[in-house]
């Protein structure tokens, strides 16, 4: 099962196993990882699942979709490697993925 490491803004790391087919957001919520509220439940409309994908992983997670781009306009500190965790589907190829949470989701 792919292991994903979520790093909170304060540097605390949570490494959890996330089943293939879940989203990166679901992996956080179902493992009680703090910092990802996911208020809309994965509907790509709240931006409370904002994460920064570590640069080495961007090619494997893919790029933002247009709806994700529009929703991220409501988030703070959006950078090129910003993604909404609910829009990243977990695959075996993402084993070892590292994402960081922004200050606004402390
Ligand atoms: Fe709301 Fe991802 S959970 S945008």
């Amino acid at each position: 099962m792919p292991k994903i490491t979520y790093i909170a803004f304060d540097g605390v790391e949570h490494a959890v196993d996330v089943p293939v087919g879940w989203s990166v957001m679901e992996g956080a919520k179902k493992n009680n990882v703090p910092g990802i509220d996911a208020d809309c439940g994965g509907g790509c409309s709240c931006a409370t699942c904002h994460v920064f994908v570590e640069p080495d992983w961007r090619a494997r997670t893919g790029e933002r979709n247009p709806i994700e781009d529009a929703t991220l306009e409501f988030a703070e500190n959006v950078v090129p490697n910003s993604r909404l965790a609910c829009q990243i589907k977990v695959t075996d190829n993402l084993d070892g993925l590292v994402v960081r949470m922004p200050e606004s989701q402390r």
Side-chain angles (χ1 to χ4, degrees), residues 1-49:
M1 197 180 300
K3 186 175 290 295
I4 298 178
T5 300
Y6 301 81
I7 305 178
F9 185 76
D10 62 6
V12 176
E13 297 187 12
H14 294 87
V16 298
D17 295 323
V18 181
V20 168
W22 286 17
S23 69
V24 171
M25 176 277 283
E26 289 174 304
K29 291 294 289 180
K30 293 177 181 177
N31 286 289
N32 299 313
V33 175
I36 294 183
D37 288 346
D39 291 340
C40 76
C44 199
S45 60
C46 72
T48 62
C49 67

Side-chain angles (χ1 to χ4, degrees), residues 1-5 15-20 24 56-57 60-61 88-99:
M1 197 180 300
K3 186 175 290 295
I4 298 178
T5 300
V16 298
D17 295 323
V18 181
V20 168
V24 171
D56 290 351
W57 286 93
R60 284 198 241 180
T61 55
I88 305 173
K89 188 72 81 181
V90 175
T91 64
D92 284 324
N93 205 29
L94 292 187
D95 183 28
L97 174 68
V98 178
V99 296

